[in-house]
Amino acid sequence: MHAIGIDIGGTKIAGAVVDELGAIVRSERVPTPAGDSVALEDAVVGMIRSLSEGEPVGAVGVAAAGFIDAAQSTVYYAPNIDWRNEPFREKLEARVGTTVIVENDANAAGWAEFRFGAGRMVSDMVMLTIGTGVGGAIVAGDRLFRGGFGAGAELGHLRVVPGGIACGCGQHGCLEQYGSGRALMRMANEIADAGGIGQALARARDEHGALDGAIVGGLIAEHDPGALAALRQLGRWLGEASASLSAVLDPQRFVFGGGVAVAGELLLAPVREAFLEHLPARGYHPEPDFVIAELVNDAGVVGAADLARLWVEEHA
């Protein structure tokens, strides 16, 4: 049975028909009308209808940022869309006549990696998606963890610094403020301000007016000492948080995705180092693997489609 996966991002909506092995049969993309919830619903419905033409589609999975209830139906809250207690599943099913499930986007990406990517061959996995913020997904005992209300695995809001930097969630000191792409920019700017190893960062900032992910990523790829120092700071925060997560969840593997993860081993090395420094009972606690995600931009649609397929199979 083929299923459709839809991934609603801040700037684009990606959709694909996905087969049972996680392979994309065909795909589409359209801009996200983020400021208009009615237009967004229309865009998703139009994409589902377009992708369904000529395909034996049995279910649709929609991935979106925000808190989704345990029934994979209602969006409690979406940070980038005007959704508050939005019955999105009910609305879509009424319009497209196909079973629909709604899932948090980080959960969908994590599930895709678990089933078809870097999480294969383990039963317990944690994924951290390092983008503008920090997304999280947990698989425990071969099942996606959602929590009692469906809003679990918000790993970016694990507090790592009590009373630390203010976070958009309303709290202070969340991992998102120390382990995200936005945090990497802040660290890079601080290093640029200090001179010394930050000279190349400062020059790039003067030339372009500001540092961004592409500039800092390019300097990391060139092994610029200032950019690498910022990445190491970021990696150490992620490693420390991973040690805390390991004490609670005991995963066999940590998977890192998102834009910052393209740094590969340059990111993973400080993550592992800080993880081991903060791992409780080090030397007696089995150590997990640390790997980079494999599915990259396709993870959201593949995971959403597979979760929809599994929902149909379990409820048949």
Side-chain angles (χ1 to χ4, degrees), residues 202-222:
R203 285 195 301 270
R205 185 174 61 186
D206 291 342
E207 180 181 348
H208 297 278
L211 293 175
D212 61 21
I215 294 169
V216 175
L219 289 170
I220 288 171
E222 295 171 7

Side-chain angles (χ1 to χ4, degrees), residues 11 27 43 45 49 73 93 116 122 178 189-190 194 228 305 307:
T11 60
S27 62
V45 169
R49 289 172 175 166
S73 179
E93 286 186 337
F116 308 111
V122 299
Y178 298 87
N189 276 295
E190 290 170 354
L228 288 177
L307 287 166

Side-chain angles (χ1 to χ4, degrees), residues 54-288:
E55 298 288 348
V57 172
V60 177
V62 179
F67 296 156
I68 318 294
D69 71 352
Q72 298 171 283
S73 179
T74 299
V75 183
Y76 292 134
Y77 166 80
N80 304 315
I81 305 167
D82 186 23
W83 282 342
R84 304 294 184 268
N85 295 313
E86 175 74 12
F88 199 51
R89 175 180 182 171
E90 179 182 338
K91 288 184 174 182
L92 290 182
E93 286 186 337
R95 296 183 64 181
V96 301
T98 304
T99 297
V100 176
I101 62 103
V102 185
E103 187 58 77
N104 172 270
D105 57 349
N107 280 349
W111 182 254
E113 290 292 340
F114 172 72
R115 286 271 285 160
F116 308 111
R120 296 188 306 273
M121 308 305 291
V122 299
S123 63
D124 291 71
M125 180 201 88
V126 170
M127 181 167 169
L128 289 162
T129 303
I130 316 303
T132 303
V134 176
I138 298 168
V139 177
D142 294 313
R143 297 190 68 85
L144 184 65
F145 172 83
R146 296 187 179 89
F149 299 103
E154 287 290 332
L155 304 184
H157 299 290
L158 175 72
R159 181 179 290 187
V160 294
V161 181
I165 298 170
C167 182
C169 73
Q171 298 302 315
H172 291 75
C174 295
L175 177 61
E176 188 160 293
Q177 301 307 312
Y178 298 87
S180 64
R182 187 185 295 113
L184 181 64
M185 293 306 103
R186 186 186 71 249
M187 295 166 184
N189 276 295
E190 290 170 354
I191 291 170
D193 291 341
I197 62 171
Q199 291 179 14
L201 287 167
R203 285 195 301 270
R205 185 174 61 186
D206 291 342
E207 180 181 348
H208 297 278
L211 293 175
D212 61 21
I215 294 169
V216 175
L219 289 170
I220 288 171
E222 295 171 7
H223 288 215
D224 171 71
L228 288 177
L231 186 67
R232 282 194 296 271
Q233 287 184 40
L234 185 92
R236 291 193 63 80
W237 282 114
L238 292 169
E240 184 174 340
S242 295
S244 295
L245 292 168
S246 191
V248 177
L249 300 169
D250 191 29
Q252 297 151 302
R253 184 166 296 163
F254 282 91
V255 178
F256 291 84
V260 178
V262 299
E265 188 59 32
L266 293 174
L267 171 66
L268 294 183
V271 170
R272 290 193 194 97
E273 180 182 6
F275 174 85
L276 292 175
E277 288 178 6
H278 293 89
L279 178 66
R282 180 181 177 182
Y284 299 95
H285 190 294
E287 297 173 10

